[in-house]
Amino acid sequence: MALALDVPDRTAAMALVDRFGADFGVMKVGLELFIAEGPALVRDIVAAGSRVFLDLKLHDIPNTVEHAARRAGALGVWLLTLHTQGGADMVAAGARGLREGAAEAGSAAAAQGPEPVALGVTVLTSDAEASPGVLADRAALAREGGCGGLVCAAPDLEVVSAAAPGLLRVVPGIRPTGASAGDQRRVATPAAALAAGADVLVIGRAVTAAPDPQAAAAGIVAEVTAELAGD
Ligand code: C5P
């Protein structure tokens, strides 16, 4: 599971890492936090023992994306998002940059961590609808471009898995029963997302905005554990 650190600063982020690092294992740093705190915070989260999912949804010319992804690889991030709308050349450049950045860095973080994985973002989970044709095309493009994984909403898993088999399936828009959907339009419970084939669940406000975050996290961990045990 990945916890979305959608908070404004280092103090709030590191508090979540300390509190939930053991339960979640993967910490997602998105635009807000990365713009506020930059690569130093990413290094600190890696040093604290969590894997980092750097969710910047890169979308620019291939050369720019390749160089940015190279820097992410050197930081020791595990997952990096590339927006598939950027096209095949851009996705391939990003995936290559990430791999080469990690390989060249020789940094302790890059050397000790798992192989980095470029994730192709298909359609945002805040979009109410995603046409199956667009989803399938974007998933196939990500796979052909060298992405090791995909980000998609739970209802899209079937189409995406058929179009791009074998990739790591990362699923945001997770809401335990009764939790508010917020701005997300295509949501699923943790158990339903796992049953539909998700490999990594991305959990944000269901924990971080809960009245009792610790209890919310414990409930999700229990639901996931039961689903994985086949209960
Ligand atoms: O708070 P919530 O659980 O909705 O957070 C979901 C997280 O996943 C956010 O950080 C959002 O940026 C991210 N995300 C998403 N949809 C995607 C890709 C990433 O919601 N397709």
Side-chain angles (χ1 to χ4, degrees), residues 95-112:
R96 183 169 60 243
L98 181 66
R99 245 186 348 261
E100 292 180 358
E104 285 165 14
S107 69
Q112 286 168 12

Side-chain angles (χ1 to χ4, degrees), residues 2-6 28-31 53 55 57 81 83 120-127 151-153 156 170-175 180-184 186-187 202-209:
L3 182 66
L5 303 178
D6 291 328
K28 187 171 88 68
V29 175
L31 288 169
F53 171 1
D55 185 19
K57 299 184 182 67
T81 42
H83 207 303
V121 175
T122 53
V123 176
L124 295 180
T125 36
S126 55
D127 285 355
V151 184
C152 70
D156 303 338
V170 177
V171 178
I174 301 299
R175 295 292 180 271
S180 156
D183 57 353
Q184 299 283 20
R186 289 176 297 126
V187 299
V202 180
I203 319 262
R205 288 163 290 181
V207 165
T208 55

Side-chain angles (χ1 to χ4, degrees), residues 13-207:
M14 290 312 289
L16 289 171
V17 173
D18 291 344
R19 210 162 159 193
F20 296 114
D23 279 338
F24 283 80
V26 184
M27 295 290 144
K28 187 171 88 68
V29 175
L31 288 169
E32 177 185 11
L33 189 57
F34 193 72
I35 289 171
E37 300 289 354
L41 179 68
V42 172
R43 286 192 200 94
D44 289 350
I45 297 172
V46 172
S50 289
R51 295 184 182 190
V52 172
F53 171 1
L54 188 58
D55 185 19
L56 302 181
K57 299 184 182 67
L58 299 179
H59 185 183
D60 205 318
I61 61 171
N63 183 63
T64 300
V65 168
E66 179 166 358
H67 285 252
R70 191 177 288 262
R71 300 273 64 80
L75 277 176
V77 310
W78 178 44
L79 304 174
L80 173 72
T81 42
L82 311 171
H83 207 303
T84 52
Q85 220 175 351
D89 289 350
M90 190 216 82
V91 166
R96 183 169 60 243
L98 181 66
R99 245 186 348 261
E100 292 180 358
E104 285 165 14
S107 69
Q112 286 168 12
E115 285 284 300
V117 176
L119 298 178
V121 175
T122 53
V123 176
L124 295 180
T125 36
S126 55
D127 285 355
E129 286 177 18
S131 100
V134 169
L135 273 170
D137 287 352
R138 289 190 182 168
L141 182 151
R143 188 162 183 264
E144 282 153 24
C147 284
L150 286 162
V151 184
C152 70
D156 303 338
L157 278 165
E158 199 178 334
V159 170
V160 157
S161 302
L167 299 195
L168 188 76
R169 287 159 297 193
V170 177
V171 178
I174 301 299
R175 295 292 180 271
T177 311
S180 156
D183 57 353
Q184 299 283 20
R185 291 293 166 260
R186 289 176 297 126
V187 299
T189 63
L194 289 173
D199 297 305
V200 178
L201 304 180
V202 180
I203 319 262
R205 288 163 290 181
V207 165

